[in-house]
Amino acid sequence: NGTPSDASDDFTACTISGPLAPGASQSCDYTVSNVTSDVTNIATATGNPTDSNGNDLPDINDVSDDDDAVVTLYASLGDFVWEDLDADGVQDAGEPGIEGVTVNLLDGSGNPTGDTTTTDATGAYSFDNLEPGDYSVEFVLPADYQFSPKDAGADDVDSDADTTTGKTDATTLTSGENDPTWDAGMYKKASLGNYVWEDSNADGVQDAGEPPISGVTVKLYKDADGDGVAEPGGDDGAAIATDTTDASGIYGFDNLDPGDYFVEFTKPSGFDKASPSTPGTASDPSDSDADETTGLTDVTTLESGENDPTWDAGFYKLASLGDLVWFDLDEDGVQDAGEPGVEGVTVTLKDAGGNTVGTTTTDSSGAYNFDNLEPGDYTVVFTKPSNDWTISPKDNAGDDTKDSDANTTTGETDPVTLTSGENDPTIDAGMTIPSSYTITKENTTADSDIAPGDPVSFTITIQNTGKTWLAVVPVQDTYDTNYLTYVNADPASDDNNDDGVIDWSDVTGSGQLAPGSSTSIIVNFTAKAATDQLPNQQTVNTATAHDVDADPDGPTGPNGSIVSLDDKSDDAPIGILNPVGEPMGDFSAMAVRSSVQVRWQSESESNILGYNILRSADGRRFEQVNAGLIFARNAGADAGASYRFIDRNLSSGVYVYKIEIVHLDGSVTRYGSARARIKGF
């Protein structure tokens, strides 16, 4: 029938035709489709008994009987085991199924039913042909996996396995029910790291040969508020783990649940800065990811089983360079012992683009330094104190610590590459400026005919012929005490002793001798004895300037006396005549056109062999002008004679004449002084 207790929808399934003999049977079948729930089928059979002739049996009504059969439908459940990439317990788009996971069917009390299956290639499983009743499921974790959080979302997309036992809650299956909501999310632990290195060129890239840094503290944080912003100690709380880099600069954080993390690198001791990073971009295995100021990385998302070894940090030390500008006394481009530094020289540092990074000046020892420099390429420019200076030859020493590195024209060095923590104290410049002087000594005695007892004067002149100031000019004057007696000097000498040596410690006075200027000393003597026995009948005085110091920038500049110049000398001879033993008269010199006529008269020639005529032109030394001795006319006799000598072919000028008297015994004396002027004609 159809609906129980309702005959209206009953129907005849089939009819058995008779008669049916004793002991015989017939049956009929009827198939009902689309059964969706348990049903009870009631079948009623109605018979009419007859005799063998087909006649109704008397007093026997129709025979009727019915029976029913309950039809129960099987149930099923499933459905999915997936890799929960973000470990949130929710099946997200793109998260894959896990193949081969063992799933056990349990009864309502959690006991095994004996039914076991494994997930297919898509992560699906099912238990079919189940009697309606209470069941649960046990998921067996594959190696290296963890269970996702339970009941974290809607029932059709969440994970139902207990995170410890892998078992689900019990569920009741009704007849024909299929329950495809029993799922399990699983994930693998993740990790990240990896490297801290010394970034020698501070470019933020791990280059070959750049060394690791050990002992660096690295902290791991979880992005607790999920805003994608690294906020340690704030919204994201405290660090969840800490590690230090090993001898190879390696660190790592393992056994991490998938999720959002960031790393904080602590600047290692002795280092100044973190390398440049590229915030907001994906981490690269060879770059630096730490913010230069905070040491924090960006937030990164770790998925199930992911190992991200790209979170690195470079650190570097600031660099420096120097070192010296020196006075290259011998102009050879080599720093020699005793060559002093030059103070106050302007030194400019430029980067690889030619931009000025800094400017300084050399100190009192000629030293300079630029520190706190980023590693990179630099050039140094040395500016000459003035155009009178020159820069020494470049790279001339064969030793970079001793040479001059500046271009002789521009003062600029070749590029210098500084690496992390490097100090390069070899960037030097030699400079020089011309320093020179002359010394002259002149006999400035008023009387050209000097005899013992007469005053004698000399003038010593120091002329600064260089480009530097002369800071200290010591002078020494030497003379023969047998022929001269020291009287005084202007300026006064240091010792004022008549011992053959006169000293001045510094003839510049209280100041310095500027380029192009001069100073003079007047030294006064008394003639002591005749010099007729000396070569050229003269005694020679010598003035010497010694240990002269030059000052390249003068009395107002920062540099003191830093150059010692060579010693220089000059001589000034002077002749001292014996008094004439014989009376002489009428000694004169008269100019006649281009000649001078010299006349003299002797009164007695008893001790005279002959005469020579000596001439001094325009104050120069006396020279003999007669070719041979003019013999005395009355040699050896007490009688006199008159003489005339003509000095011919003279140019215009002042001429002074003396008579040299040669005695019979070979001794010589001089007499007189006659002056004549020849005018231009």
Side-chain angles (χ1 to χ4, degrees), residues 243-537:
D243 195 13
T244 56
T245 56
D246 62 16
S248 299
I250 300 297
Y251 77 94
F253 296 104
D254 304 320
N255 296 317
L256 303 178
D257 288 335
D260 296 335
Y261 297 89
F262 61 92
V263 171
E264 179 181 28
F265 296 92
T266 301
K267 185 177 69 176
S269 176
F271 286 80
D272 296 301
K273 289 187 176 182
S275 298
S277 63
T278 51
T281 63
S283 177
D284 184 271
S286 63
D287 70 355
S288 182
D289 305 291
D291 182 89
E292 296 173 68
T293 302
T294 65
L296 297 171
T297 68
D298 293 333
V299 174
T300 186
T301 298
L302 295 179
E303 294 185 342
S304 170
E306 181 181 3
N307 175 39
D308 187 348
T310 65
W311 296 97
D312 309 317
F315 291 93
Y316 62 89
K317 302 171 184 176
L318 295 174
S320 60
L321 60 79
D323 152 74
L324 182 69
V325 178
W326 87 96
F327 205 122
D328 191 9
L329 299 180
D330 55 5
E331 303 179 34
D332 65 349
V334 180
Q335 300 173 36
D336 301 311
E339 291 183 328
V342 183
E343 183 179 2
V345 175
T346 299
V347 187
T348 303
L349 183 68
K350 295 185 177 182
D351 62 18
N355 303 303
T356 297
V357 175
T359 300
T360 189
T361 55
T362 55
D363 64 16
S364 59
S365 63
Y368 77 94
N369 188 62
F370 292 103
D371 53 17
N372 295 321
L373 302 178
E374 298 284 334
D377 294 336
Y378 297 91
T379 57
V380 177
V381 181
F382 299 92
T383 301
K384 296 184 298 183
S386 71
N387 288 332
D388 292 327
W389 289 78
T390 57
I391 297 177
S392 299
K394 181 173 178 283
D395 298 330
N396 216 29
D399 179 354
D400 200 44
T401 64
K402 298 291 186 182
D403 66 358
S404 181
D405 302 291
N407 182 283
T408 56
T409 301
T410 65
E412 187 167 4
T413 68
D414 293 335
V416 178
T417 299
L418 295 178
T419 59
S420 171
E422 180 180 5
N423 174 42
D424 188 344
T426 66
I427 313 303
D428 309 317
M431 294 186 181
T432 188
I433 185 172
S435 300
S436 61
Y437 69 97
T438 61
I439 182 171
T440 58
K441 184 172 185 180
E442 183 181 7
N443 177 1
T444 53
T445 305
D447 188 358
S448 60
D449 192 5
I450 302 170
D454 291 344
V456 177
S457 294
F458 296 95
T459 300
I460 304 169
T461 301
I462 306 295
Q463 177 76 41
N464 187 346
T465 58
K467 298 294 185 180
T468 64
W469 293 64
L470 298 183
V472 181
V473 183
V475 174
Q476 186 176 82
D477 190 29
T478 59
Y479 62 97
D480 191 335
T481 57
N482 292 314
Y483 299 97
L484 294 172
T485 299
Y486 173 64
V487 177
N488 58 33
D490 183 18
S493 64
D494 292 351
D495 53 15
N496 211 37
N497 294 325
D498 183 25
D499 57 1
V501 179
I502 309 169
D503 284 302
W504 292 264
S505 59
D506 183 14
V507 299
T508 64
S510 59
Q512 295 186 2
L513 198 59
S517 62
S518 63
T519 187
S520 296
I521 310 168
I522 298 174
V523 190
N524 298 312
F525 296 90
T526 299
K528 187 174 183 180
T531 59
D532 53 352
Q533 300 302 315
L534 297 177
N536 297 320
Q537 295 85 46

Side-chain angles (χ1 to χ4, degrees), residues 546-579:
H546 60 93
D547 300 316
V548 176
D549 286 348
D551 186 348
D553 49 13
T556 61
N559 295 286
S561 303
I562 60 175
V563 180
S564 184
L565 305 183
D566 293 338
D567 297 351
K568 293 186 178 182
S569 299
D570 193 32
D571 299 331
I574 190 168
I576 304 173
L577 302 177
N578 278 321

Side-chain angles (χ1 to χ4, degrees), residues 176-192:
E177 180 182 5
N178 177 39
D179 187 349
T181 65
W182 298 97
D183 308 318
M186 300 178 182
Y187 64 89
K188 295 178 180 178
K189 291 288 188 177
S191 60
L192 62 78

Side-chain angles (χ1 to χ4, degrees), residues 39-279:
V39 296
T40 300
N41 184 44
I42 301 175
T44 301
T46 302
N48 179 24
T50 63
D51 60 16
S52 58
N53 295 317
N55 299 316
D56 291 337
L57 295 178
D59 302 323
I60 298 177
N61 298 322
D62 291 343
V63 179
S64 177
D65 194 13
D66 56 35
D67 199 3
D68 59 21
V70 177
V71 179
T72 300
L73 300 182
Y74 285 125
S76 62
L77 61 77
D79 157 69
F80 187 50
V81 178
W82 86 99
E83 184 166 8
D84 191 6
L85 297 181
D86 55 4
D88 65 349
V90 177
Q91 302 171 35
D92 300 311
E95 291 183 329
I98 304 175
E99 183 179 5
V101 177
T102 297
V103 188
N104 298 319
L105 183 67
L106 309 178
D107 63 20
S109 299
N111 300 310
T113 64
D115 288 342
T116 298
T117 189
T118 55
T119 55
D120 65 15
T122 65
Y125 79 94
S126 66
F127 290 104
D128 303 318
N129 299 322
L130 302 180
E131 296 286 342
D134 295 333
Y135 296 92
S136 62
V137 173
E138 179 185 35
F139 298 94
V140 179
L141 274 177
D144 299 327
Y145 278 92
Q146 309 284 323
F147 282 112
S148 298
K150 182 173 179 283
D151 297 332
D155 197 45
D156 59 340
V157 293
D158 69 354
S159 180
D160 302 293
D162 182 274
T163 56
T164 302
T165 65
K167 296 179 180 180
T168 67
D169 295 335
T171 186
T172 299
L173 295 179
T174 60
S175 175
E177 180 182 5
N178 177 39
D179 187 349
T181 65
W182 298 97
D183 308 318
M186 300 178 182
Y187 64 89
K188 295 178 180 178
K189 291 288 188 177
S191 60
L192 62 78
N194 148 66
Y195 185 56
V196 179
W197 86 99
E198 182 171 4
D199 191 6
S200 296
N201 57 2
D203 65 349
V205 177
Q206 301 170 34
D207 301 310
E210 291 182 330
I213 306 175
S214 63
V216 178
T217 299
V218 188
K219 296 180 180 180
L220 180 68
Y221 293 84
K222 187 113 172 145
D223 182 19
D225 59 0
D227 63 355
V229 179
E231 300 165 303
D235 292 343
D236 295 330
I240 63 172
T242 299
D243 195 13
T244 56
T245 56
D246 62 16
S248 299
I250 300 297
Y251 77 94
F253 296 104
D254 304 320
N255 296 317
L256 303 178
D257 288 335
D260 296 335
Y261 297 89
F262 61 92
V263 171
E264 179 181 28
F265 296 92
T266 301
K267 185 177 69 176
S269 176
F271 286 80
D272 296 301
K273 289 187 176 182
S275 298
S277 63
T278 51

